Amino acid sequence: MGFREHAACVRRIVGIVLAVLLIGGVAVAVVAGRDSKDTSTATKTVRGVIGSEKAEFFADPEVVKALAAKGFTVKAETSGSWAMDQLPLKDYDFAFPGSKAPADELQRKSSVKGGPIRPFYSPLVVVAHRGAAQVLADNGLATLSGKSSGKLLMAPYLKAAKADRTWQQLKGAGKHAELTGTVFITSTDPVASNSGALYLAAASYVADGGRVAADEAAIDRTAPLLKKLIQVQGAQQTSSDAPFRDFISGVGNPLVLVYESQVASLLLQKQDLGDLVVLYPDTTVSSDHTLVPLTDSGRQFGELLSTDRRLRELAVRHGFRPQGAAAEFTAATSGHTDYIDQQLTGIRQAPVPTATVLRAMARRTRG
């Protein structure tokens, strides 16, 4: 073999060796990169069912980011709080209804120790347009503390509802063409939805002289009034989101039951609320958003929501009041006290009946 042929052969061998080494090097790099990625970005995915009023919170990119920083990815589906127990819960890590009563029912189906977790809460309020709020105040059904807030007087309101009072029977209503027909509050379906069920709880408590319904006899005493409150509304939504959006857009009923968090969230986003007035019922029920862990991962996630400072901050930004951290909500809403009653001054909290009694109440409003 001549020199040239030998040199060419050597170059071919060296080229093959280098190619093999290069391929091996790339393969090692890919494996190392994959291993590194798995280690640095690993998150635990938890699946849960939530009340629709919390959907925007879980969809917030900042919430997603804060959860990922703590190692969690959340896949949340919405449901009416009182319909959650009909779902195949074996597929979920947590259930997150809007109050304690449905959570207690769900807890009985969970084998995870430790009980429910209550990261935040929100009182129920009635939103009204300014003209409607003023008419209610002029007729003794409400009091106003300014242009944008006040109290709904539950006993006088329920008396008016029992008597089928119309707007036309209230002095001053004639100045407002939109105020016609029976005076009523739009609420959600109490059979499926948390806010609608809690409306019945507060109304029955006031109507029965400050007694919590505990048996069939108690249900009988208030059933005719509760039936009026619901049936006058016609078709009902299973979420407070739709009637609230209708109200903000200027359509629908002039009085709508919503969560305070829905109003506070818009205020904290600096949205214009127009002539909206927040009426806090003088006897109301706070919606304790209660997470029921269905797996150990669900419990870890629930505890994180309660204890992580950044997540509490984001909950406040969505209008919720963190449990045990009143100062955070007070500080965030300090510029909006014309709408928000930070201390819930003079507002009585009605105890909520058991889930069994409340379900029976809701069914009685149907027929």
Side-chain angles (χ1 to χ4, degrees):
M1 180 183 295
F3 176 77
R4 290 185 179 179
E5 289 84 354
H6 178 72
C9 182
V10 170
R11 284 196 297 272
R12 282 196 298 272
I13 293 170
V14 170
I16 291 170
V17 171
L18 288 174
V20 170
L21 290 174
L22 181 60
I23 291 170
V26 171
V28 170
V30 169
V31 171
R34 186 184 300 124
D35 288 344
S36 174
K37 182 178 181 181
D38 285 347
T39 301
S40 63
T41 63
T43 59
K44 182 181 296 183
T45 298
V46 289
R47 185 180 176 210
V49 57
I50 64 173
S52 59
E53 70 285 338
K54 294 181 281 290
E56 288 190 6
F57 171 75
F58 282 105
D60 185 339
E62 290 297 314
V63 173
V64 173
K65 180 180 177 182
L67 287 169
K70 296 297 182 178
F72 280 95
T73 297
V74 178
K75 293 185 177 180
E77 303 167 21
T78 60
S79 167
S81 292
W82 288 88
M84 289 182 184
D85 65 341
Q86 306 300 314
L87 297 172
L89 297 178
K90 62 182 178 61
D91 296 329
Y92 297 102
D93 294 290
F94 67 91
F96 204 174
S99 64
K100 180 179 181 296
D104 287 343
E105 292 235 315
L106 291 161
Q107 180 63 34
R108 284 192 280 273
K109 299 182 179 183
S110 174
S111 60
V112 179
K113 295 180 180 179
I117 300 167
R118 299 180 181 88
F120 42 73
Y121 69 99
S122 182
L124 289 172
V125 299
V126 174
V127 291
H129 294 295
R130 189 163 295 130
Q134 188 62 59
V135 170
L136 293 178
D138 291 344
N139 288 269
L141 304 181
T143 60
L144 299 180
S145 53
K147 290 177 60 179
S148 302
S149 67
K151 287 188 177 69
L152 178 73
L153 306 180
M154 283 292 286
Y157 167 72
L158 293 176
K159 183 178 179 181
K162 186 176 182 179
D164 299 316
R165 293 279 293 277
T166 64
W167 286 104
Q168 291 92 325
Q169 293 172 328
L170 301 182
K171 65 181 181 182
K175 301 175 184 177
H176 308 278
E178 73 279 9
L179 299 181
T180 61
T182 305
V183 178
F184 70 90
I185 295 169
T186 292
S187 65
T188 54
D189 180 358
V191 173
S193 171
N194 181 63
S195 58
L198 295 184
Y199 179 41
L200 296 187
S204 67
Y205 180 78
V206 174
D208 205 19
R211 289 180 289 184
V212 183
D215 52 30
E216 195 68 27
I219 295 173
D220 289 342
R221 287 194 295 271
T222 60
L225 173 59
L226 299 187
K227 184 176 179 180
K228 277 192 174 188
L229 295 178
I230 299 304
Q231 294 202 348
V232 70
Q233 300 180 45
Q236 291 180 291
Q237 302 278 350
T238 58
S239 164
S240 60
D241 185 59
F244 182 56
R245 290 186 184 280
D246 285 346
F247 178 91
I248 293 295
S249 64
V251 299
N253 192 46
L255 304 174
V256 180
L257 184 79
V258 301
Y259 296 103
E260 178 197 61
S261 59
Q262 292 172 284
V263 178
S265 176
L266 293 185
L267 290 169
L268 293 170
Q269 294 171 33
K270 303 188 185 317
Q271 293 195 29
D272 181 12
L273 300 188
D275 69 346
L276 180 147
V277 177
V278 181
L279 298 176
Y280 287 81
D282 60 359
T283 300
T284 190
V285 177
S286 281
S287 178
D288 291 318
H289 296 281
T290 306
L291 187 146
V292 178
L294 302 174
T295 65
D296 290 337
S297 293
R299 170 158 294 284
Q300 293 169 18
F301 166 68
E303 290 172 348
L304 180 67
L305 278 183
S306 294
T307 59
D308 185 77
R309 183 173 182 177
R310 176 57 177 161
L311 288 170
R312 287 204 314 270
E313 177 185 300
L314 291 168
V316 168
R317 193 169 78 180
H318 284 268
F320 298 111
R321 296 178 181 240
Q323 293 281 8
E328 296 178 27
F329 182 83
T330 301
T333 59
S334 60
H336 305 291
T337 54
D338 47 342
Y339 290 96
I340 302 298
D341 186 342
Q342 295 178 315
Q343 307 304 320
L344 301 178
T345 309
I347 295 170
R348 187 179 186 183
Q349 286 289 325
V352 178
T354 65
T356 300
V357 170
L358 207 46
R359 282 185 186 277
M361 279 184 181
R363 287 193 296 267
R364 290 283 292 274
T365 64
R366 296 299 193 201

